[in-house]
Amino acid sequence: MTTPSEPGRPPGPPLEPIRVLRPRRTDALAELFRECEEEGRGGYESVPPRRPPAGSEDSTQEIPPVPTAPPPAPGHPAGRRRAALALAVAAAAVAGFGCALLLTVERVAGDTAAPAPRPSATAPATSAPSAPARVPAEEGFLREGDSGPEVAELQERLLRIPDVYRSGATDGRYDATLSAAVARFQLWYGVRGDETGVYGDDTRLALESRTGRPEG
């Protein structure tokens, strides 16, 4: 490749690139290989192992074995005591096993016993509650459920009181309507001696004082 020439200067031959060759140092590489060979041949210095401190091995001593006493002879008192102790332990074990077996048998026998009779599904018939005893009309008390001429007279007297006995029936039966009328009369006129809805002495006196006493 040619380079343009400077103006005013005659063109000369073209310039070519110049390659510079630098010699390579091989002495350093050879020195490195030489050191590696020397290290492979045992160039390292051997270091002896460290010894334990003085006196550490001397202070350790082996403990002598503990002597064991020979077993006592069959007729020796110690042998008799051991035999008696072994027999007592065996007897206690047998007695405990026997008690446990007896308790187990009793429990099984109790579980297999005949069960108690179950209560019947139907409850026993109970007597019906008796109705409260009613005071006879001869004693002057009238209540719901009574009937007769005295009840009819009570109905006629209540008809004379305004707005107390609204139905106006004089059939001689002491029903719920008549009981409500008696209770209304007791409330309006402050009668407190008798039971609510019951035509007693106090209610009779209060009603007769307002409707007139019967003749005779």
Side-chain angles (χ1 to χ4, degrees), residues 39-127:
E39 291 177 359
R41 295 174 184 174
Y44 293 101
E45 182 181 0
S46 61
V47 178
R50 297 181 59 184
R51 294 184 178 181
S56 60
E57 293 294 337
D58 300 338
S59 60
T60 305
Q61 297 180 2
E62 185 177 358
I63 299 175
V66 179
T68 56
H76 197 270
R80 294 177 182 177
R81 285 197 298 269
R82 290 187 179 181
L85 181 59
L87 289 176
V89 172
V94 172
F97 178 74
C99 292
L101 183 60
L102 181 61
L103 290 177
T104 305
V105 171
E106 290 181 355
R107 185 177 300 176
V108 172
D111 294 341
T112 56
R118 296 182 179 178
S120 58
T122 58
T126 57
S127 59

